[in-house]
Amino acid sequence: MKIHHIGMLSANIEKEARHLCESCGYERVSDEIVDEIQTAKVLFLKLPAENSLLELISPHGENSKLDGAMKKGIKFHHICFQSDDMESDLKKFRNNGFFTLCEPIAAAAFDGRKIAWVMDSNKNLFELVESRKCNCR
């Protein structure tokens, strides 16, 4: 597995994206994407010399899954790994004491590729996203 992206919460992802592009040299690599299942809006940024992405995430809709974290002021949300074999990688996580929060499900932010969520005993959140053979998001 390799890191696909780091997820960061933001109350205003457009404003946050502008700030990171102007001050840190990030470039936008997506428009704002609404994911009704994940109850989130996301936008992806990338540094020119890097392969991994930065995902800005904002709650979407009433009772978003992200509301609690936003109210607590949490900024860092998760690390996402690109997976060539999601079932095998999920099994490895489980065998190492992680528990599954979400079995593989299609995701709007990744053109329907499947994602899954796991958490370790320290409450660190990790996402897996299916690999793709092209240079897409």
Side-chain angles (χ1 to χ4, degrees), residues 15-27:
K15 182 178 177 183
E16 190 91 45
R18 245 185 336 274
H19 167 69
L20 291 170
C21 289
E22 292 170 2
S23 64
C24 299
Y26 277 94
E27 297 173 350

Side-chain angles (χ1 to χ4, degrees), residues 66-75 123:
L66 301 167
D67 287 341
M70 289 295 296
K71 288 177 184 171
K72 292 177 185 174
I74 294 172
K75 288 290 279 183
K123 297 186 179 182

Side-chain angles (χ1 to χ4, degrees), residues 72 76-77 99 101 118-126:
K72 292 177 185 174
F76 171 76
H77 189 256
F99 58 95
L101 297 174
V118 296
M119 184 177 280
D120 67 10
S121 60
N122 293 326
K123 297 186 179 182
N124 294 308
L125 185 59
F126 299 88

Side-chain angles (χ1 to χ4, degrees), residues 14 27-33 42-45 54 109 137:
E14 287 294 336
E27 297 173 350
R28 288 177 70 128
V29 294
S30 81
D31 293 324
E32 187 175 291
I33 302 160
V42 301
L43 187 149
F44 290 92
L45 303 174
L54 176 62
R137 290 194 295 259

Side-chain angles (χ1 to χ4, degrees), residues 84-135:
D84 293 331
D85 184 345
M86 189 167 296
E87 289 306 319
S88 175
D89 289 334
L90 281 172
K91 185 177 179 179
K92 288 176 194 172
F93 275 114
R94 289 180 190 122
N95 289 341
N96 285 296
F98 288 69
F99 58 95
T100 304
L101 297 174
C102 174
E103 292 291 339
I105 186 171
F110 303 108
D111 301 321
R113 284 186 289 162
K114 290 183 180 179
I115 61 168
W117 293 94
V118 296
M119 184 177 280
D120 67 10
S121 60
N122 293 326
K123 297 186 179 182
N124 294 308
L125 185 59
F126 299 88
E127 180 182 22
L128 295 174
V129 63
E130 284 181 317
S131 297
R132 175 172 272 178
K133 301 289 187 212
C134 70
N135 292 329

